Amino acid sequence: MLTATLAFTGVAALINLTPGLDTLLVVRTSVTHGRTGGRAAAVGIITGCLAWGLATAVGLTALLTASRLAYDALRIAGAGYLAWLGLSALWRCRRQMPHDGDERPKGVAVMATSDEEPAGSFAPGRGSAFRAGLGTNLLNPKAGIFYMSLIPQFIPHGAPVFGTTLLLTAIDVIELALWYWVVSSAASVLSERATRPSFRRRMEQLSGVTFLGFAAHLLLADRT
């Protein structure tokens, strides 16, 4: 059991460190709304992972491979949600574009009042960041297939399937929490140093286009 657990820990760490949609969401939210927003998005992603792990433990994720209709319905819903995130990001950039006469002399600071968002702030509050993280994870059928295909390979013969699945899910979630803590901290430091609104607009534009790319990939992708 110990050998299998250690092996899973290493494999999961390599997968979690590979940049993907979830990492992009944490980076983007941390840059546009600071460390708190990024970690709220991370908590949403981790909550989705816990849900997928529990679904795997009780056998529900098997429906994604057994039923083409269930897989396609979740895939289309996920692609639609990612497209909405991408278009929303691009729309916010368009609304935040400086108009003629809005440019201020170089070196003149702009003080925000307590009722205003910091200059260049695009992202909504922590609740919206959490929902974005949860939605991108739960509406991605490949996340469910990942848990269903990976975790059973590390369950030793004779070990309780339900308890072992929850244990391996907990290990994966802990690794994700540590990784997203590092990512959100690094991204928020970058955001603090690059305070120009134009930088944050470019980041939002890049993330918007990337979300649309992920949406197209998910919509066109097969189960494999």
Side-chain angles (χ1 to χ4, degrees), residues 78-167:
Y81 184 69
L82 289 175
W84 178 81
L85 286 178
L87 292 174
S88 297
L90 295 176
W91 175 249
R92 281 193 297 270
C93 287
R94 183 177 179 83
R95 293 183 61 186
Q96 293 286 340
M97 286 294 291
H99 302 286
D100 292 340
D102 287 347
E103 295 292 341
R104 294 175 175 84
K106 188 175 181 180
V108 176
V110 178
M111 299 300 294
T113 64
S114 58
D115 295 329
E116 296 176 338
E117 290 290 330
S121 177
F122 294 94
R126 287 176 293 179
S128 295
F130 172 84
R131 290 191 294 272
L134 181 64
T136 55
N137 190 272
L138 286 183
L139 292 177
N140 184 0
K142 291 187 178 293
I145 291 178
F146 162 77
Y147 274 92
M148 186 193 68
S149 61
L150 181 66
I151 288 180
Q153 299 182 43
F154 294 90
I155 298 179
H157 179 71
V161 175
F162 183 82
T164 306
T165 299
L166 292 184
L167 172 62

Side-chain angles (χ1 to χ4, degrees), residues 1 4-5 7-9 11-12 15 49-58 61 143-157 159-173:
M1 181 65 181
T5 301
F8 175 82
T9 301
V11 171
I15 295 174
C49 291
L50 287 172
W52 281 121
L54 181 60
T56 300
V58 299
T61 50
I145 291 178
F146 162 77
Y147 274 92
M148 186 193 68
S149 61
L150 181 66
I151 288 180
Q153 299 182 43
F154 294 90
I155 298 179
H157 179 71
V161 175
F162 183 82
T164 306
T165 299
L166 292 184
L167 172 62
L168 298 181
T169 299
I171 292 173
D172 182 57
V173 164

